[in-house]
Every structure is written in structure tokens, then in C-alpha cells.
């Protein structure tokens, strides 16, 4: 029904849809004998109706279905697990690549699930619009994946998290099509859009998403500040968040991450910058990237308010170069990992979020857990998303790889960090649950929460073909 | 277990918890023979543990439980339906009246479910904080009720809808306690807080809610504008919403509602005002109330931006008197209905929300449906809540009561309006589902959506004791 050329059974095609991009995925792919599960076939439907038709066949033949978008999951979200099914397919949604409709008056665009970040911006750009969703996975990840995982972009302070942009969602399920979202807000029972968003392919295959869009910005202004230490930096970001003065991008590095930036960033005259900051009382700087996007009028107005508060908080302006160099390298992180892996480095990231009163303790505890598990390690941290009530914490870890047991080395560190997170924050702010975080979900949403998700899944997927072994 | 004095079985206590405040409820209460269901007992637990203990007993004895807060439902949400249960109690949460904790750094306060609007503001005011949630039911309704029904306050443009304020929720369920919310945002699966919020007592009894709070405002500034007609008015509100320039309160009346304001508002010098507006080209005015709250600095800054855009949209300033008179009468609407009922008037409200491109058609269709059903009637409409992608529409209907069949008269009008809404907007923007909107829920969230809600309910309430006959 999708055409023979859209059912791939060759090894290369199947291997390409077998893993995501976590450090463990990269290790597995480099191993001489790849010992990870691989889908039995890759199926590429053309549109939502074909997705539904494929699901119907999979129900009849009891075949597991792993929805596949950009393949950028770092939590095992696209692992080709088959659960109790004899066979499993990767349902690659890349052919669902259309901008379905634009309602300029309501500022809503409907995009198909397989549209990648750059294509979404190009399609919307033709209408003078932008989505403004720029996570680090932007270049490869898809609209359906953003929705399925509750993604958050680097400009989430301005454009919102992905779930804030979702006004409607269309799914194919084993029980038939399901469409949600008729108004910007509703009191017609629980918001089931927020059940579909984050369901990670377990409650249906997201085929289309209706999204709040905005006019493409006329002006983009990015710049850097330095704060005197982590506590002062976090306080400054909290002040901005609680006074509705956040820039669209607001990203605070801790001292360790700032030192790495200073060491690696060729665009900065490091020695002169250190002297300049020290003369202004900033001896252990924490870099803060702030970026505004919009009309010239709005950017000027909002920038004035943000910088007024930043200066009152003791921030010293570093200038445009720092902001622009961050902006141009913003998607490069994942690509650099392969180089580091070649050099024998264990490199991975993990993230969480907490209420403000827990942020410092959470950062200390996760750092301590990682250092205790790994021994000598560089642990960097930044706040990438700030809210009135709290913030996210994003950790980057580098250490010498234990060549005897590289997988076990990271699994132990990750488990230690996850244990430190439980009780103080969420197991994931924007990476989702997948396989890796599933053991910690019950502690966060309660065993009743897990049972509610399972019950919801049973209602739409009674035979359990959808993404076996993920989320719950 | 709650003490004998907290189990009421007298007729007055049971009658007082038998209905909400819809027009049909008022009619039923005035009828000589009250033919509506009444709970068998009223139970008043003191705290979340007692709520859980009462539920456990009700599970053992298969007793239906209707959670009761302020009793202000206008959709039958507190009707003492027993479904298949032999007996049903009203679980009155009014004794859960404590401010449990304040986290000033994170701007989060935990309030018990029975705290009413004014008490919440008084308790938070002692800490220099405000919730800012002021629906028309403010004076009687409770924190638990706001959460259970996805309430939206009159200042929702500034403070957000109630679900935007909820950072955590604690429920008692037939399967035991359930607690949700560990971070401001999360990608740990679907947001189950958004399943609990709006669950209308069917997924558990909300006993505590953690809420984002803000500093009590130093300044409140309310004023009125006149727009030249509905289309110009709606365009102006859309412009504000899409440029993040909404005042905290933004409320646009249509021409009919404005005419009633002009006729009834003693504070306005009507003839002079009409001449003043006509001289500025506004012959059929639509009043717009705008109100800002916050620090003097923020109010000045934001007011400048709102008024700049309003003037560019052709708005003529009417002044402070209009804004202040609205503010002082903002909770009076429900009380005036009894006077009108005495005069033989049929008076009721209904509300919806839609994306901007549907707003005009939706308003026209609902007005036409109501007029066709009722014959001669005054139908007024206002936008009370505006979003980037759409707005709410709130209708007030007055007509001569059909004394032969007053209930049928309104039921037919309501059904006609609800049919007009289906497909263009949501069956409720902030009144919830209850009994009255349940027949229309399937059209909005799909039969799969209804099944998902039923499955979630079965997981936490396998014997179906919670609020029988409501929502689904």
C-alpha cells in the first residue's frame, strides 16, 4: 500500500533506523559486533492515511511499530525493541514533509510530522512566518519528534517550549485516527493535547501538528554578559524570569563551562577579556548569552528592560562577539562528539529542571554524583531554560573512557546522576523518557501515574504494537 | 473518622450541596416541588488524610462521592447524581482551608482545596503575594474547584488561566494518594498535571494545589476605551494578543453589550459620552476594559505599549470611570440574576473559545441560534480572554421566561447554541463539562478521547465512585 520502494529491508536502511544519538548509541555503533536490536523492515508512508493503513496492517499481523523521525533521541526512544512481538518495523515519517495549511489570522500553521527543523523554517519563511523552535537537534529532528518528546528549543524563553506551540495534533492509532485541538484554551475536560504531546509514540503516531507561529523576526540581536559567579548568575536569571524580562534566548554557564568557553573560543581575546572583567570585580565569570528576536521596536524595548535588570544584578557586558559565536555554533555540539570519541573521551550530556529553591542543591548533587562515579571528570552545567518558578540544568560530562567497560562506565555515572535528581527535579526537562529514563518515571509521577498512562495506552493500542518498551 | 459533627444528614445541609448556580439550578430551587437529586449525606473532612480515609470507606461500601467546593458550577458539576450507586455523599472540602506552604524564592504557594478566592488572596497577602485569579465566581469558588474545572479568571491575560498557575497537585483517589509536579516544565512523558486539572472530580479529589504566585501589585490601573464596532474591536484585541501587548484584564464588549452598559451604568454621563465618541467617528461603540496590575514601573511601561497600539487601532479613550466601575461590579453578575428571575426574565450565560479566523463566524452563529430558539431576546457578547491564536466569547442572554415550560425553553436554546459551537470552537472555555456539556465532549475530543478518559478513570477509580455521571 505504500509502494514496494518504500519498504526497505536492506541492512543499511535497517541499521540507520536502529538507534538514536546517545553516547551509548555511538559506542554501540562503533563496536565491532553491533549487539543492538535492529528493525525487521523500514516502512516509509507518504501521508497520514498511509500511516493509518500501515498501522491497521500491523494490528492484524501483530507487528511492533517504532515511529522514526530524525533519529536524534538520546534516551533510546527509537531503539527497535520488539517487546513480545515477533517482528517490529521502523515507521519512518520523513515523507510526511508538507506544510498542510497556514492560517495567518490565527497565526497557526499545520505541519506534517516528518518536516525537519530547517525545512519547517523554510516552508514557513515563504509566508513570512517562523516557528522559532531551535533545539540542538534542530538540523535533523522533526515536527513529530518535537511533539512526541516535549522538546524545548534554545529560544524557549521567547517562543515557548514545543508543547506551548501545539494548538492541535493529529494521530494515527491502532483504534483509528484521532484529532485534538479546537481552540486556544478550553475547559472541556483535561487537556488531552498534553497527553498526546510527550507520549513518545506509545499512544499513537503523530502525523500532523497544528502550531502557533509568529512573524519572521526582522532583527536578531545576541550578546554576552559575565556574572560574578554561579549564585549571582542564577539570581540574575531568576530576576529576569520573575519580572517577565527574559530575553528570547537566556543561557547561563557555570564557572567550569565558562572556563572551557574561554579556553576554546577563538573569537574571544581571552587574556584581555579576563583583565577587563577582573577590573570590574568579575574574577570567576559565568557567561550569560542573551538573544532577542522580533521587530526592531520590540527588540529595542525588551532589550532595554533586560539589560537594565542585568546591570543592576552586577552583570558586565562582554559584547556581541560572544553572543554571535554561540549562535553560530549552537548546533555543533553533537557533531563534536565523534571527534572526542576518536580521542578516547567519554562525552555525554544529561539534563533536568527544578523549582528555584532546589536549583543549587540539585546542581551540587548531580555534580557530586557524577564526580564520585567517574573519578577525574570535567562536569559543566548551564541553565538553558528559565521559568518564573524554576529552571532547567544541562550538564556536559567529559572524562577518559574506560576502554575495558565503556558502557558500564557511563551507565553507572548516569544512574548515580538520576538517583541524585529523583526527589529534587524532573528526570528530564527536554530529552524525554525513552528507555533510559523509564526506571525513574514511577518516582516522578507515582505508580498511579504510570498506571494511568498504561490504561490510556490500552484504550488506543489494545494489543500493544506502538513503540514497545518505551515510556511505560 | 471525621467526627460526628462533620457528617450532616439534615435536609438543609443536603439541599445546600445539591445544585450549582446555573439558571436551571435556580429554576429548580424555586420550583414548589424540588425534583432534583440530593446527596444522602454531607461529609466534611478536615485535611487530605481524612479525604483519603473517607474515600477508602466509600470504596468499601460502594458509595458515590461528589466533591463539593464553592458550589458555583453552572454546568451541573456538583449535581448529586448517583449513577449505579445505592447512595451518594457530597464531600464538602470547605474545612481544607489552609495555606500549606510558601516558597517565596520559587514563587510557589501550596493551598488546600477548600480555600475560597478571597481567603486565598488574604492568606497570600500576608506574605506580600497574590494569585491573581479572579473569575466571576471568585467570592465563593475554591482552589480545588478552580483546578478541577480549568477555571479562567478575568485577569487571565496577565496572570494566566488557572492551569497555567498550577505547578503541582495532590489528589486522593480510590487507589490511594497521588501527587504530581516536581518541576516548572518536564519531558518526562505526558503532562499528567494537565490530566488532573479539568478532571472535574472524576479522577480523584484534589486536596492541595501548588500554585505559581506573584508579588501583590503596588498599582492597579483600570480604564475604558471605545472601539468603532465589533470587527475593529476584535482586530484591536488580536493585535494586542499577537504583539504581547495585552493588558492583564482585556475585555471587549460587542455593540449590544455596550448599549446595555450605556443604559445601565449610572457612573457614565451617557449623552455627553455618545456625543464625544460620535465626534471622533465612533457611532456604534464597543467598550474595551483594560487593566494593568504590578509595580508602578511595569504598569507604566506596559500601559504605554498597550495604549500606543490601541490608539493606532482607532480606539478612543473613555477614561478611568468606565474601568473602575467594571472592576467594582465584576462579581455582581450572578447576584443580579435572582432579581431578574423575580421579574419573569430568563437570564443565562454561555461561553466558548475559538481560533481568531473562526471568532466572527462563531459569534454570528451562536447569536443566530439563540435568537432562532428564543424569539425576541437580548443576546450580548464579549471577549474576556485573548490569546495569540484566538479568543473566548462569552454570551449573556435575556428573554421573557416561558412560564409554561421555562426549563424546556432554556434547554432548547442551549442545545441550539451548543450545536452552533460544535466544529467552530470549544464547548467550554472556562465553565467546564459537568452534566450539561457532556453530550458534546465526544465531538470535540473524539470517541477515542472519551475512551482514554474513561480508561484513565478506571485506573484510579475502578469501581466508579467518583462524581458519577459527570464529564464522561
Amino acid at each position: 500500500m505504500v509502494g514496494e520502494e518504500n519498504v526497505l529491508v536492506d541492512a543499511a536502511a535497517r541499521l540507520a533506523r536502529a538507534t538514536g544519538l546517545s553516547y551509548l548509541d555511538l559506542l554501540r555503533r562503533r563496536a565491532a559486533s553491533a549487539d543492538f536490536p535492529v528493525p525487521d523492515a523500514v516502512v516509509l508512508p507518504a501521508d497520514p492515511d498511509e500511516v493509518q493503513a500501515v498501522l491497521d496492517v500491523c494490528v492484524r499481523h501483530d507487528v511492533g511499530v517504532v515511529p522514526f523521525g530524525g533519529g536524534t533521541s538520546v534516551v533510546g526512544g527509537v531503539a527497535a525493541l520488539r517487546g513480545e512481538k515477533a517482528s517490529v518495523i521502523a515507521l519512518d515519517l520523513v515523507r510526511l514533509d508538507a506544510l498542510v495549511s497556514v492560517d495567518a489570522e490565527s497565526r497557526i500553521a499545520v505541519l506534517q510530522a516528518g518536516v525537519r527543523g530547517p525545512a519547517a523554517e523554510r516552508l514557513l519563511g515563504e509566508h513570512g512566518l517562523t516557528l522559532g523552535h531551535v533545539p540542538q537537534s534542530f538540523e535533523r529532528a522533526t515536527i513529530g519528534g518535537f511533539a512526541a518528546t516535549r522538546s524545548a528549543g534554545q529560544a524557549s524563553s521567547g517562543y515557548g517550549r514545543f508543547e506551548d506551540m501545539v494548538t492541535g495534533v493529529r494521530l494515527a492509532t491502532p483504534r483509528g485516527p484521532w484529532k485534538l485541538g479546537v481552540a486556544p484554551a478550553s475547559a472541556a475536560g483535561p487537556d488531552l493535547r498534553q497527553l498526546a504531546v510527550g507520549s513518545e509514540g506509545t499512544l499513537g503516531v503523530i502525523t500532523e501538528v497544528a502550531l502557533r507561529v509568529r512573524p519572521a523576526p526582522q532583527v536578531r540581536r545576541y550578546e554576552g554578559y559575565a556574572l560574578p559567579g554561579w549564585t549571582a548568575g542564577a539570581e540574575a536569571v531568576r530576576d529576569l524570569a520573575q519580572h517577565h524580562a527574559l530575553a528570547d534566548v537566556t543561557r547561563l554557564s557555570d564557572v567550569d563551562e565558562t572556563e572551557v568557553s574561554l579556553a576554546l573560543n577563538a573569537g574571544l581575546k581571552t587574556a584581555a577579556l579576563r583583565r577587563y572583567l577582573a577590573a570590574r570585580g568579575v574574577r570567576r565569570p559565568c557567561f550569560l548569552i542573551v538573544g532577542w528576536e522580533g521587530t526592531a521596536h520590540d527588540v529595542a524595548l525588551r532589550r532595554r528592560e533586560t539589560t537594565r535588570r542585568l546591570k543592576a544584578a552586577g552583570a558586565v557586558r562582554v559584547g556581541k562577539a560572544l553572543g554571535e559565536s554561540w549562535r553560530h555554533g549552537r548546533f555543533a555540539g553533537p557533531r563534536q562528539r565523534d571527534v572526542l570519541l576518536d580521542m578516547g573521551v567519554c562525552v555525554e550530556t544529561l539534563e533536568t529542571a527544578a523549582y528555584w529553591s532546589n536549583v543549587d542543591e540539585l546542581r551540587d548533587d548531580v555534580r557530586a554524583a557524577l564526580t564520585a562515579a567517574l573519578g577525574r571528570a570535567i562536569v559543566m552545567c548551564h541553565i538553558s531554560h528559565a521559568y518564573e518558578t524554576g529552571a532547567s540544568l544541562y550538564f556536559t560530562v567529559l572524562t577518559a573512557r574506560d576502554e575495558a567497560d565503556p558502557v558500564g562506565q557511563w551507565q553507572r555515572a548516569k544512574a548515580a546522576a538520576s538517583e541524585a535528581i529523583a526527589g529534587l527535579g524532573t528526570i528530564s526537562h527536554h530529552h524525554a523518557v525513552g528507555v533510559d529514563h523509564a526506571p525513574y518515571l514511577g518516582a516522578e509521577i507515582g505508580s498511579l501515574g504510570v498506571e494511568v498512562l498504561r490504561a490510556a495506552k490500552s484504550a488506543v493500542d489494545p494489543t500493544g504494537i506502538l513503540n514497545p518498551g518505551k515510556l511505560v
Side-chain angles (χ1 to χ4, degrees), chain A residues 227-238 252-253 286 288 310 313 356 383:
Chain A
L227 275 295
W230 171 257
T231 307
E235 278 294 298
V237 172
R238 182 167 74 91
L252 175 77
S253 296
C286 285
L288 174 72
L310 279 180
W356 284 113
I383 290 175

Side-chain angles (χ1 to χ4, degrees), chain A residues 156-448:
Chain A
S156 69
S157 295
Y159 291 95
R161 293 170 59 86
F162 201 73
E163 69 254 33
D164 302 327
M165 305 178 184
V166 173
T167 66
V169 59
R170 179 176 173 186
L171 300 105
T173 85
R175 299 277 317 283
W178 191 17
K179 208 169 174 179
L180 291 165
V182 300
S186 170
D191 189 353
L192 294 181
R193 292 178 296 198
Q194 296 301 326
L195 195 70
V197 174
S199 60
E200 301 190 21
T202 66
L203 296 180
V205 180
I206 294 169
T207 58
E208 289 179 1
V209 187
L211 292 156
R212 179 258 289 148
V213 291
R214 291 188 177 159
Q218 294 166 1
V219 176
R220 291 178 211 269
R221 170 120 198 184
Y222 283 78
E223 54 196 38
Y225 281 80
L227 275 295
W230 171 257
T231 307
E235 278 294 298
V237 172
R238 182 167 74 91
D239 176 81
L240 295 178
Q242 294 183 345
H243 290 88
H244 311 289
L246 283 171
D248 297 325
V249 168
T250 305
R251 181 192 159 106
L252 175 77
S253 296
D254 69 0
V255 170
D256 297 87
E257 190 169 282
T258 301
E259 287 300 318
V260 172
S261 290
L262 280 164
L264 295 183
N265 195 319
L268 297 174
K269 289 167 188 148
T270 305
L273 180 56
R274 282 192 194 280
R275 280 196 303 277
Y276 175 85
L277 292 175
R280 281 151 187 82
V282 181
R283 274 178 190 82
R284 289 172 59 74
C286 285
F287 280 166
L288 174 72
I289 306 293
V290 277
W292 302 264
E293 304 193 348
T295 64
H297 171 83
D298 285 340
V299 167
L301 208 67
R302 294 174 50 225
R303 179 169 171 269
R304 195 180 312 146
E305 192 61 14
T306 312
T307 53
R308 187 179 72 79
R309 298 201 81 92
L310 279 180
K311 278 169 189 167
V316 176
R317 189 164 183 276
V318 175
K320 264 178 154 173
L322 181 58
E324 288 298 323
S325 93
W326 173 81
R327 187 157 89 86
H328 288 110
R330 65 199 295 182
F331 309 126
R335 287 195 295 271
Q336 291 165 351
R337 288 187 309 166
D338 272 308
V339 181
L340 290 165
L341 254 69
D342 289 342
M343 294 162 64
V345 175
C346 163
V347 52
E348 185 54 305
T349 64
L350 58 88
E351 40 83 65
T352 177
Y355 300 122
W356 284 113
S357 56
N358 288 335
V359 162
D360 280 353
E361 186 181 348
L362 178 55
R363 176 172 161 274
D364 290 345
D365 287 3
V366 172
R367 284 167 53 90
L370 288 168
T371 309
L374 292 170
R376 225 179 118 189
I378 298 172
V379 180
M380 305 180 279
C381 180
H382 65 254
I383 290 175
S384 52
H385 310 263
Y387 307 87
E388 283 182 82
T389 58
S392 71
L393 290 174
Y394 191 95
F395 298 87
T396 306
V397 187
L398 295 111
T399 191
R401 188 161 65 237
D402 176 357
E403 297 295 356
D405 181 18
V407 172
Q409 176 190 29
W410 177 248
Q411 281 176 335
R412 283 187 293 275
K414 171 78 178 176
S418 299
E419 295 294 338
I421 287 168
L424 281 177
T426 174
I427 194 64
S428 176
H429 171 266
H430 61 270
H431 281 173
V433 176
V435 172
D436 298 357
H437 292 147
Y440 305 95
L441 189 61
E444 184 157 334
I445 64 171
S447 57
L448 274 184

Side-chain angles (χ1 to χ4, degrees), chain A residues 69-70 113 141-151 162:
Chain A
T142 60
I143 294 295
F146 295 147
T149 60
R150 305 184 81 79
S151 173
F162 201 73

